[in-house]
């Protein structure tokens, strides 16, 4: 296994369009996390899954954002009606389970909203 | 609410000099503490972590961090840095009852020859 992968690596979209990102975690990992990182900031937690169950969502995740992990494997993050403020790096991470386990991060999807 | 403060946004240092990257956190419960490193054009990688036990933890590449509960700090140190240590370093905390990581704003370590 080569680690956490994310697709696409870069996305440029016009304001108002919908975008969807995909994350494939390390295969035996039960936990999957989404973070957002803006320039000059550390990653900010968005949401996480234990298998297919979404256990926690940040208040950063407005109603335009939705995340799924339908079969407990890959996950998608969709942003509807994108705004310029959504421009950021979207990071996915996975871990075996438990707060003490290392989270392995993917390379991220850089979103630019014009 | 948890928060993490990295007091220095940039730390310039010459090769073979010692370095300390500072991290302070606030939490009302017991925490796990992490340092992640992001090399240029690469993803975040775990450098070291404190879960319990010995307050001094070490990485395989010579970094160490000490958990100080009374000062709520988890500073990262290396006695002699290399050019290859140039990277962004993020301190992070998670509380024992939740999985999410709360990150600091990062410290850019720039090592000069």
């Amino acid at each position: 296994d080569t680690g956490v992968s994310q697709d696409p690596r870069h996305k440029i979209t016009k304001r108002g369009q919908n975008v969807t990102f995909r994350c494939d975690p390390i295969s035996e990992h039960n936990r999957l996390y989404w973070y957002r990182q803006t320039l000059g900031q550390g990653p900010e937690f968005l949401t996480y899954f234990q298998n297919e169950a979404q256990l926690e969502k940040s208040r950063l995740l407005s109603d335009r954002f939705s995340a799924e992990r339908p079969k407990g494997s890959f996950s998608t993050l969709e942003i509807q009606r994108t705004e310029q403020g959504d421009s950021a790096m979207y990071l996915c991470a996975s871990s075996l389970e438990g707060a003490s386990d290392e989270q392995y991060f993917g390379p991220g999807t850089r979103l630019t909203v014009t | 609410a948890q928060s993490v403060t990295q007091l220095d946004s940039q730390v310039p240092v010459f090769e073979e000099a010692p370095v300390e990257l500072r991290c302070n956190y606030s939490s009302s419960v017991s925490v796990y503490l992490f340092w992640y490193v992001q090399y240029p054009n690469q993803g975040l990688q775990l450098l070291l972590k404190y879960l319990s036990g010995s307050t001094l933890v070490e990485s395989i590449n010579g970094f160490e961090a000490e958990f100080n509960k009374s000062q709520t700090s988890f500073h990262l140190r290396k006695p002699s840095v290399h050019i290859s240590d140039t990277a962004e370093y993020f301190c992070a905390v998670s509380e024992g009852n939740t999985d999410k990581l709360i990150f600091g704003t990062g410290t850019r370590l720039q090592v000069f020859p």
Side-chain angles (χ1 to χ4, degrees):
Chain A
D1 188 71
T2 56
V4 179
S5 61
Q6 294 186 245
D7 183 67
R9 295 290 305 276
H10 304 272
K11 179 71 177 178
I12 300 174
T13 191
K14 293 185 177 179
R15 189 176 54 188
Q17 297 294 306
N18 300 343
V19 293
T20 300
F21 310 141
R22 178 181 169 120
C23 170
D24 287 89
I26 295 172
S27 58
E28 64 267 26
H29 284 185
N30 297 319
R31 304 282 174 112
L32 187 148
Y33 311 81
W34 285 99
Y35 293 86
R36 182 177 70 184
Q37 186 176 17
T38 54
L39 199 62
Q41 300 296 317
E44 297 173 291
F45 170 80
L46 293 179
T47 188
Y48 86 95
F49 294 83
Q50 164 78 17
N51 298 315
E52 65 274 11
Q54 189 171 17
L55 296 186
E56 187 172 350
K57 292 194 291 186
S58 162
R59 56 189 167 84
L60 292 174
L61 218 64
S62 74
D63 56 4
R64 295 184 299 106
F65 289 72
S66 63
E68 293 183 340
R69 194 183 183 198
K71 296 182 180 179
S73 56
F74 73 91
S75 175
T76 57
L77 178 68
E78 181 183 15
I79 309 175
Q80 295 182 328
R81 306 181 303 280
T82 53
E83 302 173 355
Q84 287 189 321
D86 297 330
S87 295
M89 178 75 85
Y90 289 84
L91 301 171
C92 177
S94 70
S95 70
L96 280 169
E97 60 183 289
S100 63
D101 289 317
E102 175 180 355
Q103 292 186 22
Y104 292 81
F105 282 80
T109 294
R110 180 168 295 282
L111 173 66
T112 303
V113 182
T114 61
Chain B
Q2 292 173 301
S3 67
V4 177
T5 302
Q6 292 184 246
L7 297 169
D8 306 300
S9 59
Q10 295 187 62
V11 173
V13 64
F14 287 108
E15 195 173 20
E16 297 183 5
V19 70
E20 178 180 80
L21 308 184
R22 295 179 292 171
C23 173
N24 288 86
Y25 68 93
S26 66
S27 176
S28 58
V29 298
S30 61
V31 296
Y32 300 134
L33 294 158
F34 305 81
W35 276 99
Y36 278 81
V37 60
Q38 188 169 33
Y39 298 104
N41 300 315
Q42 294 188 29
L44 285 161
Q45 303 171 34
L46 181 68
L47 187 61
L48 46 74
K49 64 182 179 182
Y50 169 78
L51 304 180
S52 63
S54 173
T55 57
L56 185 66
V57 291
E58 299 177 348
S59 73
I60 58 173
N61 58 352
F63 282 93
E64 64 179 31
E66 186 162 19
F67 170 56
N68 188 318
K69 187 175 182 179
S70 63
Q71 297 186 5
T72 59
S73 68
F74 191 55
H75 301 330
L76 182 69
R77 302 183 182 95
K78 189 170 185 180
S80 176
V81 295
H82 301 137
I83 296 285
S84 59
D85 293 324
T86 294
E88 188 93 21
Y89 292 80
F90 292 94
C91 182
V93 62
S94 71
E95 292 179 339
N97 60 350
T98 177
D99 283 22
K100 65 183 181 185
L101 291 174
I102 306 298
F103 285 87
T105 52
T107 297
R108 174 159 176 74
L109 175 63
Q110 181 75 51
V111 182
F112 295 95

